[in-house]
């Protein structure tokens, strides 16, 4: 391989693995805080998409080099349509990090009790007629998170009551005093491991990268 090929290979690794490694490191640090962290499902989905975006667009340079512009345009249109379809609405729910399924359900029960709402509870969901909300939760133990999905009952607007529930949940989480979780440490290690190969190749082929940069900038 010549210096240009080495440099392009290293840059591809950095671009593809860098955001993913950073995502896992941040996820691990979130799971090491003193309190659970609640974010909207919409923000969580966008963050996950950005982290995996370089991997998803890997075929683009190949298609462009072959001149397959029709396939490239169709793929881009499909990707945009799929993103819009999967993107949660503004009040679709939340993702809670650094928490177990049992703690998340217990926090939900206490927050709803303080709001004075009654409802019907099962192992996987809750129906709150007074608030016009239905909640459903899914645990992701390997990420140390619990996803809570919200849907309205009888086509009622959910912004006001979902915001009230979110505020009560955040107050509830501030009462938690947690130690860093083993999951958080493992996620940080995964992020660091993803950085090892591109960093090692960067230092190994540093001269080639410098040559390519000089050719681009000064010729």
């Amino acid at each position: 391989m010549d210096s240009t090929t080495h440099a392009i290979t290293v840059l591809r690794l950095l671009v593809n693995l860098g955001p993913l490694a950073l995502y896992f490191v941040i996820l691990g640090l979130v799971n090491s805080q003193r309190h659970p962290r609640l974010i909207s499902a919409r923000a969580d989905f966008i963050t996950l998409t950005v982290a995996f975006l370089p991997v998803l667009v890997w075929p683009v340079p190949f298609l462009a080099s072959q001149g397959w512009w029709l396939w490239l345009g169709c793929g881009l249109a499909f990707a945009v349509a799929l993103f819009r379809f999967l993107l949660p609405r503004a009040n679709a729910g939340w993702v809670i990090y650094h928490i177990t399924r049992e703690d998340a359900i217990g926090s939900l029960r206490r927050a709803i009790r303080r709001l004075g709402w009654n409802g019907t509870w099962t192992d996987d969901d809750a129906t709150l007629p007074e608030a016009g909300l239905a909640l459903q939760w899914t645990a992701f133990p390997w990420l140390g998170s619990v996803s809570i999905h919200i849907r309205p009952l009888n086509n009622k607007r959910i912004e006001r009551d979902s915001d009230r529930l979110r505020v009560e949940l955040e107050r509830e989480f501030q009462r938690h005093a947690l130690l860093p979780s083993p999951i958080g440490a493992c996620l940080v290690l995964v992020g660091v491991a993803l950085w090892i190969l591109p960093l090692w190749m960067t230092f190994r082929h540093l001269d080639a990268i410098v040559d390519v940069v000089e050719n681009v900038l000064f010729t």
Side-chain angles (χ1 to χ4, degrees), residues 163-218:
D163 286 344
R164 292 177 62 194
L165 180 55
R166 177 185 57 79
V167 170
E168 285 297 330
L169 275 174
E170 290 177 340
R171 289 175 180 170
E172 176 67 29
F173 295 149
Q174 290 301 314
R175 298 186 178 95
H176 291 223
L178 304 175
L179 295 174
S181 70
I183 294 174
C186 291
L187 290 172
V188 171
L189 289 177
V190 169
V192 172
L194 289 174
W195 266 108
I196 289 177
L197 178 60
L199 287 179
W200 174 74
M201 292 192 66
T202 299
F203 286 112
R204 182 179 180 184
H205 302 292
L206 187 59
D207 292 340
I209 295 174
V210 171
D211 290 340
V212 171
V213 172
E214 287 181 347
N215 290 333
V216 171
L217 295 180
F218 301 108

Side-chain angles (χ1 to χ4, degrees), residues 5 10 23 55 58 73 84 87 102 125-126 129 136 147 179 190 209 215:
T5 304
V10 173
Y23 173 77
V55 178
W58 180 270
R84 291 293 300 273
L87 181 66
E102 292 73 19
D125 55 45
Q136 187 175 16
S147 176
L179 295 174
V190 169
I209 295 174
N215 290 333

